[in-house]
Amino acid sequence: MSTKEKYQEEVDVLEDVLKENQIVLFNDDVNTFDHVINTLMYACDHTPEQAEQCSILVHYKGKCTVKTGPYDELESRCSMLLDAGLSAEIQ
């Protein structure tokens, strides 16, 4: 096995180990900035500044990753966002 092939295998394994799930919040025309900010602080433990920045990104970019981690930890947080009327999914 050449050095190049061995290096590629190590990179592939490392990428698989480091891959985390993420909650992606999507823009909508229904919810106010205040509602999105308050919900992010409650559901994702964001600071007011983090929540405001995410809401601005969602508004202008259409979506934003608002939380990363293991699926088990994200599932209940995503449910809270959905229960609050926001559009989100775990990817």
Side-chain angles (χ1 to χ4, degrees), residues 28 30-42 51 55 80-86:
D28 63 43
V30 179
N31 294 293
T32 65
F33 276 96
D34 286 338
H35 178 65
V36 174
I37 290 167
N38 290 331
T39 305
L40 287 172
M41 290 188 308
Y42 168 73
S55 66
M80 287 189 267
L81 295 172
L82 296 172
D83 291 344
L86 303 182

Side-chain angles (χ1 to χ4, degrees), residues 12-30:
D12 290 342
V13 171
L14 185 60
E15 287 176 357
D16 288 341
V17 171
L18 294 178
K19 183 177 180 186
E20 288 190 315
N21 295 294
Q22 57 188 3
I23 298 176
V24 178
L25 182 65
F26 296 95
N27 190 34
D28 63 43
D29 295 328
V30 179

Side-chain angles (χ1 to χ4, degrees), residues 30-71:
V30 179
N31 294 293
T32 65
F33 276 96
D34 286 338
H35 178 65
V36 174
I37 290 167
N38 290 331
T39 305
L40 287 172
M41 290 188 308
Y42 168 73
C44 297
D45 294 327
H46 282 199
T47 64
E49 293 81 11
Q50 285 175 304
E52 182 179 3
Q53 289 174 351
C54 285
S55 66
I56 290 169
L57 284 171
V58 167
H59 179 72
Y60 287 107
K61 299 288 186 178
K63 66 181 179 178
C64 176
T65 298
V66 294
K67 197 75 169 176
T68 60
Y71 185 88

